[in-house]
Amino acid sequence: MYLCFREAVARGVPRWQLWHVARWCPLIAPILEAYKAKNPTSAGIESIEFSTAKTLYNNEKYSQVTKSLETYLATYTNSLNINDARYFLADSYLK
């Protein structure tokens, strides 16, 4: 397992595996933004963002979850994960 998302991206880890790395990297948001800036057409960004938000939710980082999911919902209005994202966002506000 890579120690950080940045190291994983630098080593060329496939984007579908990056969400595993997100669990272990406390600085995921700025690194993900940098990755998005370098790879704006990457199809895996949505999946990474949702998985990161879900990981934050599972780790009880609710203030980070609300910011992450508000951005996610505004960006990916036709996502298949939209109902789950709304649930996690609402539950994060309650906690």
Side-chain angles (χ1 to χ4, degrees), residues 11-32:
R11 291 184 182 212
V13 172
R15 64 178 178 264
W16 61 271
Q17 291 180 345
L18 290 175
W19 75 272
H20 293 290
V21 177
R23 294 180 179 190
W24 308 109
C25 186
L27 304 173
I28 189 65
I31 296 167
L32 183 58

Side-chain angles (χ1 to χ4, degrees), residues 19-68:
W19 75 272
H20 293 290
V21 177
R23 294 180 179 190
W24 308 109
C25 186
L27 304 173
I28 189 65
I31 296 167
L32 183 58
E33 288 304 315
Y35 180 80
K36 282 172 55 175
K38 290 181 181 178
N39 303 283
T41 59
S42 176
I45 295 291
E46 178 187 349
S47 175
I48 293 169
E49 287 186 13
F50 182 72
S51 296
T52 301
K54 203 161 96 171
T55 299
L56 289 169
Y57 177 84
N58 290 332
N59 290 332
E60 300 178 357
K61 308 252 186 225
Y62 300 116
S63 63
Q64 292 173 326
V65 172
T66 56
K67 291 175 190 172
S68 178

Side-chain angles (χ1 to χ4, degrees), residues 1 9 12 28 37 43 46 57-58 65 71 75 89 95:
M1 178 61 68
V9 170
I28 189 65
E46 178 187 349
Y57 177 84
N58 290 332
V65 172
T71 302
T75 306
L89 179 61
K95 295 187 179 191

